[in-house]
Amino acid sequence: MGNQPGYKASKDQLLNRLHRVEGQVRGVTRMVDEERYCIDVLTQIHAAQAALDQIALGLLDDHVHNCVERAAPGERPEKSDELVAAVGRLLKR
Amino acid sequence: MGNQPGYKASKDQLLNRLHRVEGQVRGVTRMVDEERYCIDVLTQIHAAQAALDQIALGLLDDHVHNCVERAAPGERPEKSDELVAAVGRLLKR
Amino acid sequence: MGNQPGYKASKDQLLNRLHRVEGQVRGVTRMVDEERYCIDVLTQIHAAQAALDQIALGLLDDHVHNCVERAAPGERPEKSDELVAAVGRLLKR
Amino acid sequence: MGNQPGYKASKDQLLNRLHRVEGQVRGVTRMVDEERYCIDVLTQIHAAQAALDQIALGLLDDHVHNCVERAAPGERPEKSDELVAAVGRLLKR
């Protein structure tokens, strides 16, 4: 358990992380409003992006374990295709 | 004006975009809470990430035009270094 | 067939794409050697990166369809974990 | 000198790194040809991508210090715009 990869998350953990990202984005809004130094704002945006990436990985992990693995054999290829297409969108942003 | 690149933004435009991102992230939270289909949640996360990327580019644009270009010549190299380091962080997420 | 997503690729197609990327990287080397304008070199690097992303998606697609789907049920979770970890590395670059 | 960021590079260093990337891409081609395990091939693609990112940052660094900073004041905004547009392409891959 102790060495689970960091992206594995229960629903509650995902929700906690999302609340934290909401706070980070509000923080960015405040920094822009206060005309803080661009580079500091960029650092904060980067933190929000990295947190969203982890959340996205957690959802992918959930999808592959709960949708792809457990799908009826005949539905699995379609679930797999959806997964790869989703990864393609994430890579291209 | 009409053919400005999409990332150029006034402070008001940046704030509007950030408010929209806040709404997108809250939407993701809601979708996770309602246990919506992972792939749909990922699409929504991707939209928030793409919006944050545009905002980050708008801030970089501001930094290079207002901090690098207008810095005293002796301070310009440092401002430039900060810019490249910030891009490096964004690329690595 | 006609509307396969662009990343799906046979072994021969993957090899062709990789040969093209090899040519693109040699092109970048030549441009740096000839001290061509940085921005033009960056455009060429970007083309090589985009091609590598497509190749990576093709391999992920192959992995999910041929390793995850067809694994014995008891081995599937491990194959899935490998997949998500690989996506995590690609996202972080 | 010792604590230069890793992306700063002379022309010779850039050329060396590019030769290494050429070797990495040839390695990927060989692995695909030998039908090596997808996940191992992905790890190798990731290494090539990360190396190209560092090279791209080195070129951006060169551009901002040598083109933006040293441009005649009237030409600087255009050089800056080129830089931000190039970053935008890299982020979107």
Side-chain angles (χ1 to χ4, degrees), chain D:
Chain D
M1 248 323 182
N3 49 13
Q4 289 272 63
Y7 55 77
K8 293 224 180 241
S10 66
K11 181 178 168 179
D12 276 356
Q13 287 171 318
L14 280 177
L15 289 172
N16 279 339
R17 286 174 193 187
L18 280 161
H19 288 307
R20 208 150 48 213
V21 173
E22 289 177 28
Q24 286 171 315
V25 178
R26 274 194 306 270
V28 172
T29 308
R30 205 179 316 116
M31 291 172 88
V32 169
D33 192 42
E34 294 168 358
E35 306 192 6
R36 297 274 291 280
Y37 189 52
C38 295
I39 299 294
D40 295 335
V41 186
L42 284 169
T43 300
Q44 191 64 17
I45 288 181
H46 174 250
Q49 301 253 43
L52 283 173
D53 274 341
Q54 281 297 95
I55 292 165
L57 277 183
L59 289 162
L60 273 179
D61 186 70
D62 193 40
H63 179 74
V64 74
H65 286 297
N66 293 317
C67 298
V68 179
E69 285 181 23
R70 293 181 195 177
E75 288 174 4
R76 236 174 261 151
E78 191 193 324
K79 298 292 182 197
S80 297
D81 278 346
E82 285 181 338
L83 175 130
V84 181
V87 173
R89 286 191 296 272
L90 289 175
L91 282 183
K92 267 197 213 137
R93 296 198 181 182

Side-chain angles (χ1 to χ4, degrees), chain B residues 46-81:
Chain B
H46 174 249
Q49 300 255 43
L52 284 172
D53 274 340
Q54 280 297 96
I55 292 164
L57 277 183
L59 289 162
L60 273 179
D61 186 69
D62 193 41
H63 180 74
V64 73
H65 286 297
N66 293 317
C67 298
V68 178
E69 285 181 23
R70 292 178 195 180
E75 287 173 6
R76 234 174 262 150
E78 192 193 324
K79 298 291 181 196
S80 297
D81 278 347

Side-chain angles (χ1 to χ4, degrees), chain A residues 14-32 41 44-45 47-49 51-52 55, chain B residues 18 21-26 29 52:
Chain A
L14 280 178
L15 289 173
N16 280 338
R17 287 176 193 186
L18 280 161
H19 288 306
R20 208 151 47 212
V21 172
E22 288 177 30
Q24 286 172 316
V25 178
R26 276 195 305 272
V28 172
T29 307
R30 205 179 315 116
M31 290 172 89
V32 168
V41 186
Q44 191 64 17
I45 289 181
Q49 300 259 42
L52 284 173
I55 292 164
Chain B
L18 281 161
V21 172
E22 288 177 30
Q24 287 172 316
V25 178
R26 276 195 304 272
T29 307
L52 284 172

Side-chain angles (χ1 to χ4, degrees), chain B residues 30-52:
Chain B
R30 206 179 316 117
M31 290 172 89
V32 168
D33 193 41
E34 296 169 357
E35 306 192 9
R36 296 273 292 281
Y37 189 52
C38 295
I39 299 294
D40 295 334
V41 186
L42 284 169
T43 300
Q44 190 65 17
I45 289 181
H46 174 249
Q49 300 255 43
L52 284 172

